[in-house]
Amino acid sequence: MTLTYSDEVAVARAENRAIVALESTIITHGMPYPQNLKTARDVERVVRDNGAVPATIAIMGGKIHIGLSDSELDSLARTPDAMKLSRADLAVALASGKTGATTVAATMICADLAGIEVFATGGIGGVHRGAENSFDISADLRELSKTAVTVICAGAKAILDLPKTLEVLETLGVPVIGYKTDVLPAFWSRISNIPIPLRMNSAAEIAAAHRMRAKIGLAGGQLVANPIPLEAEIPADYLTPVIEQAVAEADAKGIATKEVTPFLLARIVELTEGRSLVSNIALVKNNARLGAEIAIALKEA
Ligand code: PSU
Ligand code: MN
């Protein structure tokens, strides 16, 4: 079998419990060790504390792991050179027995294979600044239009071109739902100046919309944008020059394809002396809590 379940997830499936998928690229390419490991464990705990079961997804030894044991999580967190797997790489990595972390796109594919409908993360990939020249648009966006998973994020990082990211999502027919907000949250900031097209105020409403897509035969998932908790927010005027510097450095170094996002994320943590990381961790936990609520609501929807 290509899919293998952790003991905890296998029991949850047998008992028809609510399950929340979690990605692994955030562990290997999104945060430095050891904060990545602590965050991965803490996020799983938040899901459990809110009544659902976490399933961190990764590829190990040519198998899709749905849920990782603590030692598997530990070993992945210490493998910064693990492959970063998106839709394009997944089958090649599996067929050749590789180990790697799944991006938002690949995590959605694996969650769907395992019948998991909800996935919580920090930020999705999107349209990069300068995409009119580089054509750098994350495969996460198209995946949202194909695969029926509701993804909870804190908006998109300002390393991306946020208006273009929203335009592409609209073109692809992906609902972007603001959770208790009318503007796109901008990852480290609760608000941006970009209006968000749809708003919902409860997990039950989001679950009902997920079910309605299936009922009317619409392929694809939903993107829920959940603002960072107020106390963890970082002022945009502090971050804007940092992001501009990181983007300029990536350009100057000719960083391209899969390396762009990890380079920018790591550089911003360095340039903010870890401050961005503290906020990043807080918003992922906040998304895990909402993910658990939506997964539970889907069991009742
Ligand atoms: N944005 C973040 N943190 C992350 C990522 C994006 O704020 O960890 C990761 C996610 O796994 C996402 C991936 O799916 O980067 C997008 O990479 P790319 O832009 O190469 O598609
Ligand atoms: Mn890219």
Side-chain angles (χ1 to χ4, degrees):
M1 270 297 283
T2 307
L3 278 184
T4 170
Y5 296 95
S6 66
D7 293 345
E8 183 185 19
V9 175
V11 170
R13 283 165 56 84
E15 294 177 351
N16 194 26
R17 300 266 313 272
I19 303 177
V20 177
L22 301 167
E23 63 154 309
S24 44
T25 295
I26 190 172
I27 302 173
T28 55
H29 295 71
M31 289 182 188
Y33 181 83
Q35 290 94 335
N36 61 348
L37 178 59
K38 181 172 189 309
T39 304
R41 287 178 173 148
D42 287 353
V43 170
E44 289 197 343
R45 188 169 328 113
V46 170
V47 173
R48 289 186 197 104
D49 288 349
N50 285 278
V53 175
T56 302
I57 293 178
I59 308 306
M60 296 182 129
K63 285 191 187 302
I64 299 175
H65 285 246
I66 307 292
L68 301 180
S69 68
D70 197 64
S71 65
E72 287 166 338
L73 207 57
D74 184 274
S75 100
L76 194 70
R78 292 169 198 267
T79 314
D81 57 351
M83 292 176 83
K84 174 183 164 188
L85 305 173
S86 188
R87 169 176 275 267
D89 326 281
L90 196 55
V92 170
L94 287 168
S96 44
K98 293 281 178 17
T99 291
T102 50
T103 61
V104 167
T107 305
M108 289 180 74
I109 294 169
C110 298
D112 190 45
L113 286 170
I116 301 173
E117 299 173 302
V118 179
F119 160 28
T121 187
I124 60 159
V127 180
H128 278 264
R129 295 186 184 194
E132 58 276 29
N133 297 315
S134 67
F135 280 45
D136 189 349
I137 302 175
S138 175
D140 293 351
L141 300 185
R142 181 156 296 167
E143 202 59 50
L144 281 159
S145 73
K146 283 176 175 274
T147 302
V149 174
T150 288
V151 179
I152 299 100
C153 69
K157 282 203 168 123
I159 59 173
L160 302 173
D161 185 320
L162 301 186
K164 285 197 184 75
T165 299
L166 270 189
E167 289 289 355
V168 170
L169 286 166
E170 189 189 50
T171 302
L172 293 171
V174 176
V176 180
I177 301 167
Y179 180 67
K180 299 184 179 169
T181 179
D182 294 309
V183 294
L184 184 69
F187 204 80
W188 296 292
S189 314
R190 287 180 63 79
I191 57 166
S192 68
N193 55 7
I194 306 164
I196 207 165
L198 303 165
R199 172 185 175 134
M200 287 185 153
N201 297 318
S202 71
E205 289 173 85
I206 296 166
H210 181 112
R211 287 279 175 263
M212 185 56 74
R213 290 187 73 81
K215 197 169 171 187
I216 64 173
L218 289 181
Q222 314 189 102
L223 184 63
V224 176
N226 184 28
I228 186 171
L230 187 61
E231 64 280 6
E233 211 181 13
I234 303 185
D237 54 355
Y238 165 75
L239 277 173
T240 303
V242 167
I243 293 165
E244 277 164 8
Q245 181 181 340
V247 170
E249 286 179 14
D251 264 356
K253 286 182 196 279
I255 308 258
T257 66
K258 286 169 161 324
E259 268 120 56
V260 176
T261 300
F263 175 87
L264 294 173
L265 298 180
R267 204 59 194 108
I268 292 166
V269 172
E270 282 170 12
L271 291 169
T272 62
E273 294 169 344
R275 188 167 168 195
S276 66
L277 184 58
V278 174
S279 296
N280 198 345
I281 293 168
L283 66 85
V284 179
K285 289 187 197 168
N286 189 46
N287 293 342
R289 185 192 47 73
L290 180 57
E293 287 174 13
I294 296 170
I296 291 166
L298 273 166
K299 289 288 172 198
E300 289 152 14

